[in-house]
Amino acid sequence: DAKTTQPNSMESNEEEPVHLPCNHSTISGTDYIHWYRQLPSQGPEYVIHGLTSNVNNRMASLAIAEDRKSSTLILHRATLRDAAVYYCILRGSNYKLTFGKGTLLTVNP
Amino acid sequence: GAGVSQSPSNKVTEKGKDVELRCDPISGHTALYWYRQSLGQGLEFLIYFQGNSAPDKSGLPSDRFSAERTGGSVSTLTIQRTQQEDSAVYLCASSQKSSGIPFEQFFGPGTRLTVL
């Protein structure tokens, strides 16, 4: 599986936007970009996914670079409940999700 | 509706004992996955079931690990002769479909296994 690189940790203030970056320079043309998050003491939770175009859903937005070698997960207004580890994952034609260490997001009140 | 459930939530066992971990996927989901997460680490894929197809066991770390899925629904992960390095959170996930459109995986809360 192609590898992703994320910062180990990021910090944000409540009600401010958060931009979580992910680099995936070896992405192949058929790889989807997935984001999951894991709240403390819980299983991971799907956030969003995309292929080429930017995507929006009720939880977040995903901005994908034109060359697809990087992407950014955008939380428009961070809340304390958004504090979690965020995983950026590339998924090809198979079913496996390969989780790295992700980015630990801390949200300050 | 009900999500993925796992039992027990916590399991403490002695080295050398066998353990069974259970997963109840979301009704109607044909794909079921097992992962494990060691302390401070990301998730490690263990095994995958899709309908009646042969499971993908490529992630199982040793022959002490096995899993089955009965009737296309409930799954049991068995670890024989447990070792201390087996201590981890074991997570189960299910999805509507595993190939083609990347359906999201829904995860259970996990079983925390501690081997003394």
Side-chain angles (χ1 to χ4, degrees):
Chain A
D1 294 321
K3 186 179 176 181
T4 63
T5 304
Q6 300 177 253
N8 291 332
S9 62
M10 290 186 65
E11 204 166 320
S12 173
N13 295 320
E14 200 173 8
E15 298 190 2
E16 291 185 356
V18 181
H19 291 235
L20 297 163
C22 181
N23 288 321
H24 30 77
S25 58
T26 59
I27 190 171
S28 73
T30 56
D31 284 340
Y32 283 82
I33 302 160
H34 286 247
W35 284 82
Y36 280 73
R37 71 179 185 181
Q38 187 170 22
L39 279 66
S41 301
Q42 293 188 28
E45 171 188 36
Y46 168 85
V47 178
I48 200 167
H49 78 273
L51 184 61
T52 57
S53 303
N54 295 344
V55 183
N56 300 295
N57 67 20
R58 62 175 179 82
M59 290 182 70
S61 295
L62 177 60
I64 301 173
E66 197 168 333
D67 63 4
R68 301 209 326 126
K69 294 186 177 182
S70 66
S71 61
T72 302
L73 179 70
I74 303 166
L75 307 179
H76 295 285
R77 290 186 63 191
T79 70
L80 297 178
R81 289 172 294 179
D82 291 323
V85 178
Y86 286 79
Y87 297 99
C88 170
I89 301 162
L90 299 185
R91 181 182 175 186
S93 58
N94 64 33
Y95 40 80
K96 298 178 186 178
L97 296 177
T98 302
F99 288 76
K101 293 191 176 182
T103 297
L104 175 63
L105 175 66
T106 301
V107 180
N108 300 313
Chain B
V4 177
S5 61
Q6 293 186 245
S7 61
S9 55
N10 281 283
K11 177 70 176 179
V12 180
T13 190
E14 294 179 347
K15 178 181 173 181
K17 300 279 189 181
D18 298 351
V19 295
E20 284 190 352
L21 311 179
R22 177 188 169 104
C23 172
D24 282 88
I26 293 173
S27 177
H29 280 192
T30 59
L32 187 146
Y33 318 76
W34 282 97
Y35 297 85
R36 78 174 172 183
Q37 186 170 32
S38 301
L39 188 63
Q41 302 297 312
L43 276 71
E44 173 190 3
F45 167 80
L46 296 178
I47 189 169
Y48 154 76
F49 296 90
Q50 169 59 47
N52 296 321
S53 302
D56 177 352
K57 305 179 182 180
S58 61
L60 295 178
S62 77
D63 58 8
R64 296 186 296 104
F65 288 72
S66 64
E68 63 177 21
R69 188 178 184 192
T70 54
S73 181
V74 172
S75 177
T76 303
L77 177 69
T78 301
I79 309 173
Q80 296 179 311
R81 305 181 302 281
T82 52
Q83 303 294 313
Q84 289 182 331
E85 60 263 29
D86 299 333
S87 297
V89 176
Y90 288 82
L91 290 151
C92 175
S94 70
S95 69
Q96 291 179 319
K97 189 178 175 182
S98 61
S99 60
I101 298 173
F103 285 90
E104 62 184 281
Q105 294 185 15
F106 293 83
F107 284 82
T111 294
R112 181 175 298 278
L113 175 66
T114 304
V115 182
L116 302 177

